[in-house]
Amino acid sequence: MKQLILKLGREKSLLRRHPWVFSGAVARVQGDPETGDTVAVRSGSGEFLAWAAYSPASQIRARVWSWDEKERIDGDFLRARLQRALGARERLISAETSDALRLVHGESDGLPGVIADRYGDVMVLQLLSAGAERWRGELADAVHELTGCACVFERSDADVRALEGLPVRSGVLYGGLPAGGVHIREHGLTYGVDVAAGHKTGFYLDQRDNRKRVGELSQGREVLNCFCYTGGFTLNALAGGAQSVLSVDGSAEALAQAKANLSRNDLDAARAEWQEADVFRHLRTLRDQGRSFDLVVLDPPKFAPTAAFAEKAARGYKDINLLALKLLRAGGLLASFSCSGGVSAELFQKILAGAALDAGVEASIVGRFAAAADHPVLLSFPEGDYLKGLLLRRA
Ligand code: SAH
């Protein structure tokens, strides 16, 4: 039998239903499992704990599929888990809100390493772990059948695949991408999504509710949107009646896509200004120019994928937030986000407190942000709670 035997006393996190087995907890591997194979995980005293996918290359040596010894991990099991994930989205996000949705969110949906995002009639599947890769064919078939989407596109090209010893893979699995490109509707706005080469699976679905909230706060305000990517916050701010929106991003492709997205909607393009620049530098330029704003959005990329990077990340967050707070007029708002798994909500709040102090600015928390409901956080898997944000008001 293929099994992992843990060191004595190292079963505690599994008993709390945390779905990862770290390499340091493993005493012995028996039965010569290959990467992605299902193994029984047992405590040092031999009790069954879980069925898990083995990943010899990774520090996360195994990821749990099931806590039930009677379960068989096969195509039917995966199909049932997918069905459960689809069911969990019903009545959470209405069809008018969006036709783009995360249908499977990895560990939190009991499918470690599996991401499935729907963009209208196109499903994007992203496999990030050895276990997910082992069942690639079954997962692709089941996603195709259960969603009825015309196209399934694979985006298994995230950096974390390297940690699992997996090669980069990307391309069509079923059907074909629509000739005119992939388009979605979210909060009444239309976006083109580059599922083949865009960030993540093409769009930051996790920010859906937060884009809307920022839109609602934008009426009559001069807005600065930093790290604008394909224009999500920009379009919502314009739709919400912003007087002007300056959008900054370092990527020329993202800005081109953002401008194209603006033109897809009935919005006043004259109110939009675009700047290709490094945000760290451009915030200083704006300060030196004496510019000021009523609402600033900071939605940077992940500075700290794990806690090991937290200190360096903290310096980055502090820097941009300090500068942003200084650019705010009295009564102005800062919507500041972190999608770093390695920076907790508590640490993020401390960083912003430090930034305000050093900026010589008094500010209060007037709102909090998290990922949208199609990105559930399993209570036993706090790592799933990666996106956090604060809405600050400058006194
Ligand atoms: N707010 C966006 C998502 C932001 S993703 C949305 O709702 O869709 C982060 C963006 O930051 C990417 O577009 C990336 O090109 C940009 N970026 C990363 N580092 C940057 C830097 N130092 N300066 C400017 N842009 C940067």
Side-chain angles (χ1 to χ4, degrees):
M1 184 178 212
K2 295 176 182 178
Q3 50 188 11
L4 295 191
I5 315 293
L6 301 188
K7 293 176 184 162
L8 276 173
R10 296 299 291 270
E11 67 279 9
K12 290 198 188 71
S13 72
L14 283 152
L15 292 175
R16 285 197 301 268
R17 300 222 158 181
H18 187 276
W20 290 350
V21 178
F22 286 98
S23 59
V26 177
R28 295 189 302 286
V29 181
Q30 296 177 337
D32 213 10
E34 286 182 27
T35 182
D37 277 355
T38 301
V39 291
V41 183
R42 295 186 184 279
S43 69
S45 52
E47 285 163 281
F48 174 88
L49 297 167
W51 295 112
Y54 181 57
S55 184
S58 174
Q59 288 302 311
I60 304 172
R61 194 54 46 91
R63 295 180 197 235
V64 172
W65 288 123
S66 170
W67 308 100
D68 180 357
E69 191 167 7
K70 293 193 285 297
E71 198 104 65
R72 247 182 85 100
I73 310 307
D74 56 14
D76 288 342
F77 166 83
L78 296 168
R79 179 179 299 262
R81 281 284 162 97
L82 285 170
Q83 222 148 8
R84 190 177 88 176
L86 301 189
R89 270 78 185 159
E90 276 167 23
R91 293 196 303 265
L92 270 183
I93 295 161
S94 72
E96 306 96 87
T97 301
S98 187
D99 59 1
L101 215 60
R102 173 151 297 189
L103 295 180
V104 180
H105 189 47
E107 274 75 353
S108 290
D109 280 306
L111 289 165
V114 181
I115 300 294
D117 289 341
R118 177 177 206 142
Y119 295 103
D121 209 19
V122 173
M123 280 304 306
V124 183
L125 187 62
Q126 187 166 62
L127 306 176
L128 302 173
S129 65
E133 178 80 2
R134 159 70 182 77
W135 297 99
R136 180 170 174 262
E138 287 80 356
L139 286 165
D141 287 351
V143 159
H144 185 230
E145 270 177 51
L146 292 173
T147 62
C149 280
C151 172
V152 180
F153 192 90
E154 181 175 19
R155 276 297 300 276
S156 298
D157 56 3
D159 295 344
V160 292
R161 293 234 335 162
L163 303 177
E164 298 274 321
L166 301 171
V168 161
R169 226 206 278 263
S170 174
V172 166
L173 295 173
Y174 283 99
L177 289 175
V182 177
H183 294 96
I184 60 158
R185 294 277 293 167
E186 183 192 270
H187 303 311
L189 295 165
T190 300
Y191 300 86
V193 177
D194 183 356
V195 299
H199 290 183
K200 303 231 268 188
T201 62
F203 203 65
Y204 287 82
L205 295 169
D206 51 358
Q207 289 282 28
R208 181 187 309 111
D209 300 349
N210 307 330
R211 284 190 279 267
K212 171 132 169 102
R213 180 87 184 98
V214 162
E216 289 162 357
L217 294 166
S218 295
Q219 175 66 43
R221 295 189 192 258
E222 285 185 53
V223 178
L224 169 63
N225 178 18
C226 296
F227 310 98
C228 70
Y229 188 48
T230 57
F233 283 102
T234 303
L235 266 58
N236 279 275
L238 290 168
Q243 194 181 317
S244 64
V245 185
L246 168 57
S247 306
V248 185
D249 202 281
S251 155
E253 298 88 69
L255 284 168
Q257 180 69 266
K259 289 179 203 174
N261 282 335
L262 176 57
S263 68
R264 290 187 173 101
N265 293 279
D266 183 21
L267 296 168
D268 184 2
R271 293 176 190 230
E273 194 188 336
W274 306 95
Q275 181 70 50
E276 182 186 337
D278 175 73
V279 167
F280 290 82
R281 254 183 260 144
H282 199 65
L283 286 169
R284 290 176 165 80
T285 305
L286 293 168
R287 175 196 64 191
D288 296 343
Q289 290 170 347
R291 295 277 300 262
S292 56
F293 299 88
D294 308 301
L295 172 57
V296 177
V297 179
L298 291 177
D299 185 23
K302 202 183 324 181
F303 291 159
T306 64
F309 298 85
E311 205 173 305
K312 184 163 175 279
R315 283 197 293 277
Y317 288 121
K318 183 167 175 189
D319 188 44
I320 53 175
N321 281 281
L322 191 157
L323 290 159
L325 283 165
K326 283 193 169 183
L327 291 176
L328 279 181
R329 300 191 178 114
L333 297 172
L334 170 61
S336 183
F337 297 93
S338 163
C339 60
S340 292
V343 173
S344 66
E346 194 190 354
L347 175 59
F348 188 56
Q349 183 171 327
K350 276 193 192 140
I351 295 168
L352 297 206
L357 194 67
D358 288 7
V361 162
E362 191 180 299
S364 318
I365 298 171
V366 292
R368 291 176 194 273
F369 302 106
D374 50 343
H375 297 62
V377 182
L378 196 63
L379 280 171
S380 55
F381 183 64
E383 289 85 346
D385 199 9
Y386 63 99
L387 180 66
K388 70 273 320 168
L390 290 174
L391 180 65
L392 301 183
R393 182 180 183 280
R394 182 175 174 165

